[in-house]
């Protein structure tokens, strides 16, 4: 924005790269920040930095955590033989909010997409294989979005792990097509989980 002082337009540019923040909101936030109390702005900046510094991926499941392993992987009350495979760390939040899953998680970090150059080795598939070797895993529940890439990834994982003697199931349909777990409500999620079934060959 040419009419704004350079430090503000730089802030607008950075803010508008954030997910869900369009150019108009970025401008509004930037103008709010530069007119806010300096202490409040400093707290915000420090909170962002601290969160970034303290949070890492769980080395086992890939969820976002402050401790290694994460609270899910470290929890003896959870069923560690039951692994729910999700695309992104945020999907865990959706399932936890629904409160119907008592196993552990595995974050893939994406979906197989040859068009976008995403191959299985770009995802946390090797880590999942290792988990299935290292501990007694009785079932993998695939909870990926039901879009083309999600389906391709689900079938890939089904084949890979069925061949290794692990039972693989996927959430029952009913999740909104083309979207993630994020947009599914709790009832839909719990029904999808209860109605999970093995892949038809
Ligand atoms: Zn973990």
């Amino acid at each position: 924005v040419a009419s704004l002082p350079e430090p503000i337009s730089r802030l607008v540019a950075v803010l508008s790269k954030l997910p869900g923040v369009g150019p108009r909101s970025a401008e509004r936030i930037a103008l709010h920040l530069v007119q806010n109390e300096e202490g409040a702005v400093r707290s915000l900046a420090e909170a962002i930095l601290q969160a970034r510094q303290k949070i890492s991926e769980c080395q086992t499941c890939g969820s976002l955590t402050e401790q290694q392993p994460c609270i899910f992987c470290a929890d003896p009350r959870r069923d560690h033989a039951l692994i729910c495979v999700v695309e992104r760390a945020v999907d865990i939040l959706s399932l936890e909010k629904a409160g119907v899953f008592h196993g552990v998680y595995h974050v893939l970090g994406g979906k197989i997409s040859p068009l976008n150059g995403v191959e299985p080795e770009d995802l946390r598939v090797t880590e999942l294989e290792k988990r299935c070797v290292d501990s007694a895993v009785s079932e993998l529940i695939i909870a990926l979005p039901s879009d083309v890439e999600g389906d391709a990834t689900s079938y890939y994982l089904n084949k890979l792990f069925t061949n290794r003697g692990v039972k693989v199931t996927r959430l029952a349909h009913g999740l909104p097509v083309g979207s993630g777990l994020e947009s599914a409500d709790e009832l839909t999620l719990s029904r999808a989980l209860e109605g999970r079934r093995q892949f038809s060959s």
Side-chain angles (χ1 to χ4, degrees):
V1 188
S3 56
L4 287 172
E6 197 274 337
I8 300 180
S9 41
R10 186 151 32 111
L11 183 54
V12 171
V14 176
L15 287 169
S16 58
K17 284 182 188 152
L18 297 174
V21 181
R24 296 272 310 261
S25 322
E27 209 176 290
R28 246 183 33 233
I29 297 169
L31 291 172
H32 169 79
L33 289 173
V34 296
Q35 294 174 91
N36 205 344
E37 267 180 68
E38 198 175 328
V41 177
R42 191 180 303 278
S43 306
L44 173 65
E46 275 165 9
I48 295 173
L49 258 183
Q50 278 191 15
R52 181 61 192 90
Q53 284 163 354
K54 286 184 177 167
I55 299 299
S56 60
E57 283 182 359
C58 171
Q59 282 158 13
T60 305
C61 73
S63 72
L64 298 178
T65 181
E66 199 180 346
Q67 62 195 54
Q68 293 291 347
C70 72
I71 53 165
F72 307 117
C73 292
D75 189 347
R77 288 163 305 179
R78 300 190 80 106
D79 183 354
H80 290 256
L82 196 58
I83 298 182
C84 181
V85 180
V86 295
E87 182 190 356
R88 300 157 306 163
V90 67
D91 296 327
I92 295 177
L93 294 180
S94 310
L95 282 154
E96 283 300 301
K97 261 190 253 164
V100 284
F101 181 65
H102 305 292
V104 290
Y105 296 99
H106 192 86
V107 180
L108 273 187
K111 296 173 285 188
I112 298 171
S113 172
L115 283 177
N116 296 312
V118 183
E119 304 290 339
E121 50 273 24
D122 300 313
L123 306 175
R124 301 183 66 257
V125 175
T126 314
E127 287 87 341
L128 185 56
E129 289 181 276
K130 191 170 176 301
R131 285 179 82 177
C132 290
V133 171
D134 290 352
S135 56
V137 174
S138 65
E139 183 180 345
L140 290 182
I141 304 170
I142 314 281
L144 297 177
S146 46
D147 52 20
V148 175
E149 293 165 347
D151 282 347
T153 312
S154 299
Y155 282 107
Y156 173 84
L157 294 174
N158 177 51
K159 203 172 161 199
L160 182 65
F161 287 98
T162 301
N163 284 342
R164 295 174 184 211
V166 180
K167 180 182 176 190
V168 183
T169 58
R170 72 185 303 186
L171 293 187
H173 288 293
L175 289 183
V177 172
S179 60
L181 297 178
E182 231 172 342
S183 54
D185 62 41
E186 294 170 23
L187 187 63
T188 311
L189 273 183
S190 68
R191 280 186 184 150
L193 192 61
E194 281 157 18
R196 69 186 188 267
R197 52 186 172 232
Q198 281 181 275
F199 289 70
S200 45
S201 45

